[in-house]
Amino acid sequence: ERIVGGPLWSHCVSGSHDWARMFGRQDDDDDDRGPWLTPRMAARIHYVAVRDAELYDYRECPPRLPKLARPFFKKSKSWRLAFGDCYARIAMRLQRGLPPSPNCTGEELAFHNIMHLAPDAEEDLDLVELLEKLPTFQNDDEYRDVESRAVEDEDVLYLYEDGDTGYSFSDDEEDVDNPVLGPGSMAEFALGPQGGRMGITNLHPRDWFLAFRESNFRNHIEGS
């Protein structure tokens, strides 16, 4: 089933959240450096997710995307809004005390983007003030470990071809219906029959908002 958001999501991520209570406890599988998702890390991820979800309503503020997906962002407002919703759902899970747990390809790439930007987010004074109030743990800055634990795989990153930085402001990129992929590239492999045989699914941008697990379809919503 396709995950569809709505225009009122911004009201769901407003207010303050008790990050220390929700993420300050250690589980049996955590090491002595603290929980794998610490209060400070959860607050950083939430901050970037909310900030960027609002930006991507606008064509002039493109996120980091593989070449195959950029025409969808530029040409389809509904696609842009759906991708912004991916950021919002990650934020909403966190404020419920849940891990980010991306549940569609769009959420997976949104989460990778968030983790790419989160280290620099501490330059924002609002986030600095929030983090100063939270307890510290040795693994507060273990971005790579959090990223690997939160996502099931990194198949979506196959879509980045060699030399693709994730950004382009050109309007001359391929049509959404006839993408030109580098011959022998991982993107061509993953989107082809070989990728299907290896269980790689929902990589084409038109399928990015199909839920992986129906059981988690609404786990970002309070009371679900």
Side-chain angles (χ1 to χ4, degrees):
E1 189 170 355
R2 186 175 299 275
I3 305 175
V4 179
L8 300 178
W9 71 261
S10 56
H11 298 287
C12 301
V13 293
S14 60
S16 59
H17 310 289
D18 192 346
W19 303 115
R21 177 184 61 80
M22 293 187 293
F23 294 100
R25 300 186 302 272
Q26 290 185 241
D27 296 325
D28 293 339
D29 58 346
D30 293 325
D31 58 33
D32 56 6
R33 297 177 301 163
W36 71 269
L37 183 59
T38 68
R40 289 189 172 211
M41 182 65 79
R44 287 190 198 109
I45 295 171
H46 183 272
Y47 180 86
V48 175
V50 173
R51 180 195 68 186
D52 290 5
E54 295 183 352
L55 288 177
Y56 300 149
D57 186 7
Y58 304 100
R59 186 178 184 275
E60 296 76 17
C61 300
R64 184 168 174 255
L65 290 169
K67 180 176 67 174
L68 180 67
R70 291 196 288 267
F72 285 80
F73 182 88
K74 294 174 181 177
K75 299 178 181 181
S76 171
K77 182 176 178 64
S78 62
W79 197 95
R80 289 195 296 275
L81 292 174
F83 191 58
D85 285 345
C86 292
Y87 288 76
R89 287 192 295 273
I90 288 170
M92 291 165 71
R93 289 191 190 101
L94 287 168
Q95 65 194 41
R96 292 194 63 195
L98 301 173
S101 303
N103 194 33
C104 65
T105 302
E107 289 182 17
E108 284 188 333
L109 190 63
F111 185 69
H112 286 301
N113 285 351
I114 291 167
M115 299 304 286
H116 178 73
L117 296 171
D120 295 328
E122 289 191 47
E123 297 178 5
D124 295 356
L125 292 180
D126 289 341
L127 180 59
V128 170
E129 292 178 4
L130 171 60
L131 296 181
E132 286 177 348
K133 301 174 184 177
L134 297 176
T136 61
F137 291 92
Q138 292 182 42
N139 56 353
D140 276 333
D141 299 316
E142 295 292 339
Y143 291 94
R144 185 58 189 147
D145 181 57
V146 171
E147 197 166 4
S148 64
R149 286 177 181 247
V151 298
E152 293 185 2
D153 56 56
E154 297 186 337
D155 291 349
V156 68
L157 300 183
Y158 291 154
L159 295 180
Y160 286 103
E161 299 189 84
D162 291 344
D164 184 3
T165 64
Y167 298 98
S168 172
F169 293 92
S170 170
D171 288 323
D172 298 328
E173 292 189 306
E174 300 79 27
D175 184 83
V176 296
D177 297 318
N178 297 289
V180 178
L181 302 175
S185 67
M186 284 302 298
E188 182 184 51
F189 171 84
L191 288 164
Q194 301 97 326
R197 286 194 288 271
M198 292 183 64
I200 299 175
T201 60
N202 298 351
L203 276 197
H204 196 284
R206 64 173 173 263
D207 300 326
W208 276 18
F209 312 118
L210 296 173
F212 295 148
R213 298 171 298 280
E214 295 298 327
S215 58
N216 291 346
F217 190 73
R218 299 185 183 281
N219 70 343
H220 59 288
I221 301 173
E222 194 71 37
S224 63

